[in-house]
């Protein structure tokens, strides 16, 4: 019985020593984060797609202007999952009741080289053919800064647009059909490169303004061959047919002097 009491006392002492080694850190108090994207009009709310990566700087105090001095995390990559934003290595509150979070999207391993003057360039090609590549995702630059409070639920971050792609819809409103065929549409004098302060969310234009799009207005969609491809794309959930319905200049039946088998829009 005396031996059992001695063992219990030793275990209590060991536990007490382990707690004293880190008196200000709660090892089980992990930080949980979630995120939304504020629309350009300030009202719409969007969400990151699964697998999208954001970079976060997390500190126990305001380190705007000196993000690399963040004491909790420096440019740590978080990925969007069903449970919110998650990192490969768990991050804890480390005993603090509140933390400062600075975040940006898309994530880059090079942002910590100079986070107060992070260079970013919007891709001049802005079509969905590149949707699976980094070039397409680089059409938007999102940023957030927030003081979060330690609570039972996940802390919510709201990202806003600092740089954005342009979606241009051209449609003929003239009663005369086909009067735009052969003309050109250009988006001119836009700044596509900038230096961004990731701590303050300040964007400074760099480089020369340029024309990022030069599109001839002869977008023929349809016919016996391409019309079949459009239907196949539509069946797979593609956008070609949908966008054509919204923006077409004219519509007519082809091969009307021939049999029904070769007629097409």
């Amino acid at each position: 019985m005396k031996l059992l009491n001695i063992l219990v006392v030793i275990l209590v002492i060991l536990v007490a020593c382990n707690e004293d080694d880190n008196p200000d850190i709660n090892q089980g108090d992990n930080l949980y984060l979630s995120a939304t994207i504020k629309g350009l009009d300030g009202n719409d709310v969007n969400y990151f797609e699964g697998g999208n990566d954001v970079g976060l700087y997390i500190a126990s105090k305001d380190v705007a202007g000196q993000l690399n001095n963040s004491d909790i995390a420096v440019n740590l990559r978080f990925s969007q999952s069903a449970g919110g934003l998650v990192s490969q290595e768990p991050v804890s509150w480390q005993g603090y009741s509140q933390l400062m979070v600075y975040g940006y999207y898309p994530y880059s391993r090079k942002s910590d080289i100079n986070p107060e003057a992070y260079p970013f360039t919007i891709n001049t090609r802005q079509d969905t053919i590149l949707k699976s590549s980094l070039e397409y995702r680089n059409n938007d630059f999102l940023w957030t800064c927030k003081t979060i409070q330690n609570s039972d639920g996940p802390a919510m971050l709201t990202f806003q647009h600092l740089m954005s792609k342009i979606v241009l819809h051209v449609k003929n409103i003239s009663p005369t059909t086909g009067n735009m065929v052969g003309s050109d549409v250009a988006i001119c004098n836009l700044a596509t490169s900038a230096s961004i302060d990731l701590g303050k969310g300040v964007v400074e234009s760099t480089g020369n303004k340029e024309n990022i799009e030069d599109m001839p207005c002869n977008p023929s969609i349809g016919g016996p061959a391409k019309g079949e491809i459009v239907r196949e794309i539509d069946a797979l959930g593609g956008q070609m047919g949908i966008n054509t319905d919204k923006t077409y200049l004219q519509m007519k039946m082809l091969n009307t002097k021939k049999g029904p088998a070769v007629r097409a829009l």
Side-chain angles (χ1 to χ4, degrees):
M1 188 67 180
K2 182 181 294 185
L3 179 60
L4 180 60
N5 291 336
I6 293 175
L7 291 175
V8 171
V9 171
I10 292 174
L11 289 175
V12 171
I13 293 174
L14 289 175
V15 171
C17 289
N18 287 335
E19 292 178 348
D20 290 339
D21 290 339
N22 299 284
D24 298 327
I25 298 178
N26 185 351
Q27 298 290 348
D29 197 10
N30 288 338
L31 173 63
Y32 297 99
L33 297 170
S34 185
T36 59
I37 302 173
K38 189 176 182 179
L40 291 175
D41 61 358
N43 296 320
D44 294 339
V45 176
N46 300 303
Y47 300 90
F48 287 107
E49 296 180 355
N52 285 164
D53 295 331
V54 303
L56 297 183
Y57 293 80
I58 307 175
S60 59
K61 59 182 180 180
D62 186 359
V63 290
Q66 298 178 320
L67 287 186
N68 281 335
N69 290 338
S70 301
D71 53 349
I72 306 297
V74 174
N75 195 30
L76 185 61
R77 180 169 64 183
F78 282 73
S79 300
Q80 179 65 47
S81 68
L85 296 175
V86 296
S87 60
Q88 292 183 345
E89 299 180 0
V91 179
S92 75
W93 286 89
Q94 298 194 16
Y96 295 105
S97 60
Q98 66 179 29
L99 295 173
M100 289 292 300
V101 179
Y102 309 83
Y104 70 96
Y105 168 90
Y107 169 79
S108 172
R109 285 180 291 182
K110 298 181 179 180
S111 78
D112 56 351
I113 295 177
N114 189 0
E116 282 69 50
Y118 174 62
F120 184 80
T121 300
I122 289 181
N123 180 36
T124 55
R125 181 174 174 180
Q126 299 187 1
D127 54 75
T128 54
I129 294 176
L130 299 177
K131 189 171 183 178
S132 61
S133 70
L134 179 61
E135 291 181 315
Y136 180 82
R137 295 197 298 271
N138 279 0
N139 284 330
D140 290 277
F141 189 91
L142 309 177
W143 176 82
T144 187
C145 175
K146 185 175 182 180
T147 301
I148 59 174
Q149 306 294 330
N150 194 345
S151 61
D152 295 333
M156 178 63 70
L157 303 176
T158 301
F159 285 76
Q160 62 184 16
H161 291 80
L162 294 186
M163 298 182 70
S164 302
K165 64 183 178 182
I166 290 179
V167 178
L168 180 66
H169 294 283
V170 179
K171 188 170 184 178
N172 181 19
I173 60 175
S174 171
T176 304
T177 60
N179 67 334
M180 290 184 64
V181 175
S183 59
D184 290 333
V185 174
I187 306 173
C188 306
N189 298 321
L190 290 182
T192 58
S193 299
S195 174
I196 304 175
D197 187 332
L198 299 181
K200 300 178 181 179
V202 177
V203 180
E204 181 179 352
S205 176
T206 59
N208 298 322
K209 294 183 179 180
E210 57 180 315
N211 298 348
I212 67 169
E213 196 69 44
D214 192 3
M215 179 181 66
C217 285
N218 189 16
S220 176
I221 304 294
K226 191 183 293 184
E228 182 178 343
I229 299 299
V230 173
R231 288 185 175 274
E232 291 177 355
I233 293 174
D234 187 62
L236 295 173
Q239 296 293 312
M240 189 174 186
I242 296 174
N243 290 330
T244 301
D245 289 339
K246 294 179 179 180
T247 61
Y248 70 84
L249 303 177
Q250 61 178 321
M251 180 185 297
K252 64 180 180 179
M253 183 70 69
L254 303 178
N255 301 326
T256 55
K257 295 182 180 180
K258 298 180 180 180
V262 294
R263 294 175 186 172
L265 291 175

